[in-house]
Amino acid sequence: FLGVAPEEYPLLYFLLLTNIDRIVFSPDVAPGVGRITIDEYRHMSSAGLSAAAARLVKRARARGWSVTTIDQDIQSFVGIGGSGGRDEIENNVMILQNNNQILFGKTSSAALPEVTRLFPDLRQEHLDFMVQARPGEFVVYTPEHIETIYVPLTPREQEHLL
């Protein structure tokens, strides 16, 4: 969005979501052949576009596409701290629950009650790991499996993050 005024971002996000939805359901595209990744989801959530994003995720998953949404802060999805109304939070939670996998990095203690409500399979050891996670450490959650991992940082990442 280089050169675009921030107040115009919601319109651009909406146009992106609408066009991706059109591509997913194009007769020229076979079911199950694509992957959608939405990075920095908080920008969409804060722009009030959770309903459009939720619709895209639901339709894409029904078509067999893989969907990943990314944000460093779980609060972008669960609305802790007053971000978003009830419908916004319900849409965001539906999006979370329709991801193929979720990587939890450092998570605030305040977010844990909502995280455990949404993902009751997480054990105390996972929650402790999430609260104490350093850069590169994640709890990987799928409906079938939960694992803790470390992704080695590049020298540049180490310089800036540690």
Side-chain angles (χ1 to χ4, degrees):
F1 298 155
L2 190 61
V4 176
E7 61 270 12
E8 295 176 6
Y9 287 4
L11 175 60
L12 291 177
Y13 284 125
F14 181 77
L15 291 172
L16 281 170
L17 292 173
T18 303
N19 279 302
I20 292 169
D21 187 82
R22 188 176 49 80
I23 291 166
V24 168
F25 283 90
S26 167
D28 300 328
V29 176
V33 297
R35 178 180 188 93
I36 298 170
T37 301
I38 302 171
D39 195 4
E40 304 295 349
Y41 179 76
R42 71 181 163 278
H43 297 300
M44 251 186 252
S45 180
S46 66
L49 293 170
S50 68
R55 180 178 182 272
L56 171 63
V57 168
K58 186 175 183 180
R59 287 172 48 88
R61 292 278 294 163
R63 182 87 168 166
W65 282 49
S66 172
V67 178
T68 302
T69 48
I70 302 169
D71 201 284
Q72 289 88 347
D73 191 348
I74 191 73
Q75 295 179 18
S76 298
F77 295 97
V78 297
I80 296 167
S83 63
R86 183 178 179 160
D87 289 342
E88 185 90 5
I89 292 169
E90 286 178 12
N91 287 329
N92 292 339
V93 167
M94 190 282 296
I95 290 168
L96 255 186
Q97 293 174 331
N98 276 282
N99 275 263
N100 299 69
Q101 64 182 356
I102 299 170
L103 275 66
F104 293 99
K106 182 150 183 75
T107 304
S108 73
S109 298
L112 291 182
E114 189 65 11
V115 169
T116 55
R117 183 183 75 77
L118 295 170
F119 304 98
D121 296 343
L122 290 169
R123 297 189 308 264
Q124 189 61 46
E125 66 190 75
H126 300 126
L127 302 173
D128 293 343
F129 186 90
M130 289 160 51
V131 169
Q132 298 169 11
R134 297 178 315 187
E137 294 179 336
F138 302 93
V139 171
V140 180
Y141 177 92
T142 69
E144 299 82 29
H145 190 72
I146 304 170
E147 189 66 54
T148 58
I149 64 167
Y150 174 71
V151 178
L153 303 176
T154 66
R156 184 173 181 195
E157 290 169 330
Q158 288 178 7
E159 178 183 328
H160 294 298
L161 295 175
L162 300 179

